[in-house]
Amino acid sequence: MSTVATKDETPARGSTSHARELNGWWFAKLAVMAVINAGLLYAVYSSFMVEEWWILAVTVVLLVVVNWVYFSKRMVPAKYLLPGVIFLLVYQVFTMGYTAYIAFTNYGSENTISRDQAIEQILRTGDVRVEGAVDLPLKVVRNEAGELGFAVVVDDTVEAGTADEPLDTVDGATIDDRGAPQEVPGWQILSLAEVLEVQGEVTALRVPFSDDPEDGWVRTQTGAVGFQSSPRFSYDEAADTFTDVTTDAVYTPNDRGFFESQDGTRLTPGWPVTIGFENFQRMLTDSRISSALLQAGAWTFAFAFLSVATTFFLGLFLAMTFNHPAVRGRKLIRSLLILPYAFPGFLAALVWKGMLNNPYGFINSTILGGADIPWLTEEWLARFSIIAVNLWLGFPYMFLIATGALQAIPGDVYEAAKIDGAKPFRVFRSITLPLLMISVAPLLIASFSFNFNNFNLIYFVTEGGPNIPGHPLALGETDILISVVYKVAVVAGTKQYGLAAAMSILIFVIVGLVSWLGFRQTRKLEEVL
C-alpha cells in the first residue's frame, strides 16, 4: 500500500493562523520593548534629577538606538549584535576607561566627591554654637521611614526635620506644660531609654533650619534641649575662599583638591584633581610601594606558574591513567575526580582555611594527631598551603581538558610508535605531550592569567598573611599583586583609589604581555608540528 504525500501543515502566509502567530509575536515584542523603554526612561529621569549630564546623554542615545534597531525591518543583524555590544561597552570598555581615568587623579577616601559637594560638606560638618541664641525645647523623633530627627518649639510652633529634611512646621502638633513638643503627628517621639540606645547618633545629628547651610542647624547634647549652631567656616564665592569665624584663618584651594591655610592646615573632604603620571611615578620612586610591588610581584609569578604546573601535570597524570582501557570503572572514577571542580571555589577555600587552622583544624587535630603545625601563620608553610589548596581546586579542570585532548589524538600514531619500538616515556615526550600542547596551550595561558589575579583564593585562605610587621601597606607574605591593590584601595587607613587604579593598569599590562608571548610560542609549536 502506497503512502499518500501530505501537504506541509505550516500555516500558509495570509491565513488566519499565520496572522494570529504574527500578532502574538508582535505583542511579545512590544511588551519586551515597553519594559526596556521604561527602564531607560527611568535612567534618563534619574540622571536628570542628579544632574549627571554625561549619563543622561549616553542613556538618551541608547534609548534612540535600541528603538531604531528593534523597530526597523532592515536591521536584522543588529538585533542580535546590539545586546552584546551594549554589555561590552558597559562592563568592559567603560570599566577600563574609568579605571584609566582614575589612575591619573588623586581620587581617594579624602577626595571622592565633586568640588561643589566638598564645599557644601565643609559648611555642614564644621559648626560652632551661636552666641546669645536661646535654648530650644526639643524631642528626639523618628519619621515614617525610621530616620532620626528633632522636633523643636520655635516661637510657640512645633517644627520637625531630619538631617536630610530641614525643619518644617507640623500641623496639629501640641506643646506640653514645660514648653516641649508633646504630640507630633507623623512622627514618633522616642522615650528616654530609646534615646540612650542611640545616644551617639543623637549627639552627632544636625537638623538644618533650611536648605541653605548658612542658616545653621539644631543640635543637642542631652536629647531634651537643643541649641542653634552655625557653620564654623564662611565661604566667599567671589574670592573662592573659606574663612574660619573663630580664628579668622583663610583657606584657599590648592592644586591637590583641598582648601588649605597658610600654615598648611587642610579642610576635608577634598575633590579629585588630575595629577598626571604621579601615581605611576610613586610606584617606582616610593620605596614603601616599590618594595611591596617587587615582593608581591615575585610571589605572584611563582604562585601563578606553580598553580598551572602542578594542576596541569596532576590532571594529565590522572587523565592518562584513567584513559587506559584496562582500568575498570573509569566513568565512575572520572565523575568522582571532577567533584572539586563542581564545588564553589570561595566556599572550598573557606573550608580549607578551617581545616588548616592551628591547633583546631581537622588536619592538625585529627589527621596528624594534635600536631602543632602553623600552616597559615608561617611564611613558607602558608605559601605551600596556598599552592596545595589551589591544586585541589584546579586539577579537575586540567583533568577534563587533558582527557579530551588525549582522546582526540589518533590511535594510529601510537601504533606506529609501538612498531618502531619506542618506549612509553619516549612516546609521551615525543608524541603525546607535543600533540597535547597544541590543544591545551591556550588554556594553560588562560589559567596562568586567572591565577595571576586569583584574589579569592588568597583572600579566603590567608587574607594575604602572615602579615609583615610594621609594613605601611599592611602587606602579607602571601599577598599577590591584586591583593596589594585591594589593600591600597580598601584596607589602608587613607584609601588611595587612584594609586590602586594605576597598579591595576600595571597588572593588566603584565598579564597582556605574558599572554601575547604565550600565544606567540603556541603558534610556533603549531608550525613545527
Side-chain angles (χ1 to χ4, degrees), residues 218-439:
V218 176
R219 297 191 63 184
T220 184
Q221 295 295 331
T222 64
V225 177
F227 58 89
Q228 184 179 359
S229 182
S230 64
R232 176 181 174 181
F233 302 100
S234 175
Y235 179 66
D236 186 342
E237 186 174 355
D240 193 22
T241 59
F242 274 103
T243 302
D244 190 333
V245 298
T246 61
T247 64
D248 293 330
V250 178
Y251 296 80
T252 57
N254 61 17
D255 58 353
R256 308 297 299 181
F258 292 97
F259 284 93
E260 185 177 9
S261 64
Q262 291 184 351
D263 62 1
T265 304
R266 298 188 310 185
L267 300 180
T268 56
W271 60 93
V273 294
T274 302
I275 58 175
F277 289 90
E278 183 176 318
N279 287 321
F280 298 92
Q281 183 181 357
R282 287 181 61 193
M283 288 192 291
L284 299 176
T285 59
D286 191 330
S287 59
R288 300 171 301 174
I289 299 175
S290 60
S291 62
L293 291 178
L294 287 175
Q295 179 175 339
W299 163 239
T300 303
F301 275 100
F303 165 70
F305 174 78
L306 290 174
S307 295
V308 174
T310 54
T311 55
F312 173 67
F313 283 108
L314 178 59
L316 177 59
F317 171 77
L318 295 174
M320 294 181 65
T321 300
F322 296 106
N323 193 49
H324 197 282
V327 178
R328 295 183 179 181
R330 290 184 296 167
K331 293 183 179 180
L332 176 61
I333 296 174
R334 287 172 179 171
S335 301
L336 295 175
L337 286 175
I338 64 173
L339 285 179
Y341 188 54
F343 203 62
F346 76 94
L347 189 57
L350 290 174
V351 171
W352 274 103
K353 180 179 181 179
M355 293 174 63
L356 292 169
N357 177 268
N358 182 37
Y360 306 110
F362 180 78
I363 293 177
N364 276 355
S365 63
T366 303
I367 297 179
L368 301 179
D372 184 17
I373 302 177
W375 296 106
L376 304 179
T377 55
E378 197 278 328
E379 175 185 354
W380 293 104
L381 281 176
R383 291 175 175 175
F384 172 79
S385 300
I386 287 287
I387 297 297
V389 173
N390 196 64
L391 175 62
W392 188 84
L393 290 171
F395 85 86
Y397 170 72
M398 296 298 182
F399 169 72
L400 287 174
I401 63 174
T403 299
L406 287 173
Q407 293 177 351
I409 298 176
D412 298 342
V413 177
Y414 292 113
E415 290 293 335
K418 186 177 181 180
I419 293 173
D420 290 341
K423 300 297 182 181
F425 180 75
R426 180 60 184 275
V427 171
F428 171 77
R429 183 173 63 87
S430 301
I431 298 178
T432 304
L433 190 59
L435 293 176
L436 192 71
M437 291 301 295
I438 295 177
S439 301

Side-chain angles (χ1 to χ4, degrees), residues 458-459 461-467 475-480 483 487:
I458 301 297
Y459 183 76
V461 176
T462 65
E463 297 184 11
N467 292 332
L475 187 69
E477 300 289 357
T478 58
D479 270 318
I480 58 176
S483 63
K487 289 186 174 180

Side-chain angles (χ1 to χ4, degrees), residues 94 102 133 141 152 163 174 453 489 495 509:
F94 170 76
I102 291 176
V141 295
V152 297
T174 59
N453 290 317
K495 299 171 178 57
V509 171

Side-chain angles (χ1 to χ4, degrees), residues 33-313:
M33 290 303 300
V35 173
I36 294 175
N37 283 322
L40 291 174
L41 289 172
Y42 179 76
V44 170
Y45 170 77
S46 300
S47 56
F48 175 78
M49 294 301 295
V50 298
E51 299 182 355
E52 292 290 347
W53 308 120
W54 281 106
I55 298 178
L56 175 63
V58 171
T59 308
V60 169
V61 171
L62 184 61
L63 180 66
V64 173
V65 170
V66 167
N67 284 275
W68 176 45
V69 168
Y70 284 99
F71 283 108
S72 172
K73 295 182 179 180
R74 295 180 295 177
M75 306 290 291
V76 176
K79 289 179 173 61
Y80 296 94
L81 294 176
L82 186 60
V85 171
I86 292 174
F87 283 114
L88 175 66
L89 293 175
V90 172
Y91 292 107
Q92 293 291 332
V93 177
F94 170 76
T95 303
M96 294 171 62
Y98 191 64
T99 301
Y101 162 73
I102 291 176
F104 293 93
T105 69
N106 65 338
Y107 188 63
S109 56
E110 294 182 338
N111 306 75
T112 56
I113 56 181
S114 67
R115 195 176 192 276
D116 292 339
Q117 291 172 329
I119 293 173
E120 182 178 355
Q121 190 72 9
I122 292 172
L123 288 173
R124 289 186 179 277
T125 53
D127 60 355
V128 291
R129 183 166 181 166
V130 176
E131 294 185 8
V134 298
D135 291 335
L136 301 172
L138 176 145
K139 292 288 186 180
V140 181
V141 295
R142 287 188 187 275
N143 60 13
E144 295 178 352
E147 298 174 316
L148 281 177
F150 294 148
V152 297
V153 177
V154 181
D155 297 332
D156 298 327
T157 302
V158 177
E159 298 182 2
T162 65
D164 300 322
E165 299 176 3
L167 291 175
D168 193 15
T169 302
V170 180
D171 296 330
T174 59
I175 303 173
D176 60 21
D177 297 336
R178 294 174 296 176
Q182 183 177 29
E183 293 184 5
V184 186
W187 299 80
Q188 173 195 354
I189 298 178
L190 272 63
S191 64
L192 177 60
E194 292 173 326
V195 171
L196 292 176
E197 291 179 359
V198 291
Q199 185 175 6
E201 298 178 44
V202 170
T203 55
L205 181 61
R206 297 175 176 87
V207 177
F209 280 98
S210 68
D211 292 324
D212 186 359
E214 296 286 350
D215 293 337
W217 42 81
V218 176
R219 297 191 63 184
T220 184
Q221 295 295 331
T222 64
V225 177
F227 58 89
Q228 184 179 359
S229 182
S230 64
R232 176 181 174 181
F233 302 100
S234 175
Y235 179 66
D236 186 342
E237 186 174 355
D240 193 22
T241 59
F242 274 103
T243 302
D244 190 333
V245 298
T246 61
T247 64
D248 293 330
V250 178
Y251 296 80
T252 57
N254 61 17
D255 58 353
R256 308 297 299 181
F258 292 97
F259 284 93
E260 185 177 9
S261 64
Q262 291 184 351
D263 62 1
T265 304
R266 298 188 310 185
L267 300 180
T268 56
W271 60 93
V273 294
T274 302
I275 58 175
F277 289 90
E278 183 176 318
N279 287 321
F280 298 92
Q281 183 181 357
R282 287 181 61 193
M283 288 192 291
L284 299 176
T285 59
D286 191 330
S287 59
R288 300 171 301 174
I289 299 175
S290 60
S291 62
L293 291 178
L294 287 175
Q295 179 175 339
W299 163 239
T300 303
F301 275 100
F303 165 70
F305 174 78
L306 290 174
S307 295
V308 174
T310 54
T311 55
F312 173 67
F313 283 108

